[in-house]
Amino acid sequence: MGKRIVVALGGNALGMNLSEQAAAARVTAKAIADLIANGHQVVITHGNGPQVGMIEKAFAAYRKLEPDAEDVPLSVSVAMSQAYIGHDLQNALREELLNRGIKRPVVTVLTHVVVDPNDPAFQKPTKPIGGFMTQEEAQKLAAETGAAVMEDAGRGWRKVVASPKPVEIIETDSILALLEAGQVVIAAGGGGIPVVRTGENRLEGVPAVIDKDYATEKLAEQLGADLLVILTAVEKVAVNFNKPDQKWLSELSPAQARRYIEEGHFAPGSMLPKVEAAVTFAESAPERTVLITLLEKAGEAVAGLTGTIIREPD
Ligand code: ADP
Ligand code: MG
């Protein structure tokens, strides 16, 4: 029996620039096509760090030429990145499936994700985005636009934005209808276009970045998925990562994962959101399972041969 699988693609699935992305999308398409060929329903989500950074930089350069040009809101840049990444992924996957004789429509859904305007993340922006600046440039930007800026790990100054938690995915019903019609869906790219509800029926973009691992978890819950597969740059999750006593984990219960989280085994901003998303999904309903593994090992991991599996013990 095929499973309903939500697959999250990490940065390594898409590369750092235009030509890398087109090439990476072909490799990624093979991994995803393996799952589809095995009879699974698949929804794909992805990150967008380098892509949204490129879009922001391009508009910053444009504003230097055209000082009166309007500021492009971050939510608009996220929307653009969903379209641009969807363009490459959708085409690569369509081609890979057709090459295998599988006729299955592939479609990208622009996805809005509601966040809470009172989320404490808005009081404390933590997510660096866009290009590096000198301290002077950063302070000028902050004074002119009210943007928060921060020194980023000795590399220079950057804009920082809030990273609030996803509350609701607006296009869930559309994604579900496409899935049930047998289509392969790419959705919630870059964690989704961040919006808040203002008034009864209106959604407005906000300058924030939603973590793609939390947004993917929310989508997997809303779609009633059986399996959440987080594809990244490591084959398994480790404790004592990069230390002499490092140990790769094949199985992890949500309770054990919580203990490891408290002990600080997972780096914030990289492995921590994945393990937190895994715990939330595994605890959200019986039988729900999460796999964290390498992009290239997706098929093997779903067949039970590798990766770290997170689920409630029998
Ligand atoms: P992605 O783009 O897939 O979200 P990230 O770089 O954000 O990738 O997160 C994955 C990275 O997390 C791994 O490549 C690894 O370097 C790092 N990492 C941090 N802590 C751990 C850990 N405990 N076990 C495995 N990997 C870890
Ligand atoms: Mg990440």
Side-chain angles (χ1 to χ4, degrees), residues 102-125:
I102 301 171
K103 276 194 133 176
R104 191 74 58 84
V106 184
V107 62
T108 304
V109 174
L110 274 183
T111 311
H112 298 85
V113 176
V114 178
V115 299
D116 178 354
N118 298 316
D119 190 307
F122 284 108
Q123 306 307 317
K124 194 172 166 281

Side-chain angles (χ1 to χ4, degrees), residues 6-11 13-14 21 43-53 55 74-87 89 108-115 127-129 161-166 169 175 185-195 206-219 273-274:
V6 176
V7 181
L9 301 174
L14 295 169
Q21 180 173 303
V43 175
I44 301 149
T45 71
H46 57 80
N48 72 345
Q51 295 81 5
V52 85
I55 292 165
L74 183 55
S75 49
V76 173
S77 297
V78 173
M80 290 181 187
S81 77
Q82 287 186 352
Y84 159 52
I85 294 167
H87 158 58
L89 265 184
T108 304
V109 174
L110 274 183
T111 311
H112 298 85
V113 176
V114 178
V115 299
K127 176 92 185 156
I129 60 156
V161 297
S163 191
K165 291 287 192 303
I169 290 156
I175 298 165
V185 186
I186 300 162
I193 304 164
V195 293
V206 286
V209 169
I210 302 165
D211 187 285
K212 74 117 181 15
D213 296 313
Y214 299 140
T216 304
E217 190 284 325
K218 182 64 75 182
L219 180 65
K274 297 183 202 316

Side-chain angles (χ1 to χ4, degrees), residues 149 159 207 258 271 274:
V149 294
K159 199 157 116 177
R258 282 179 193 284
M271 190 46 76
K274 297 183 202 316

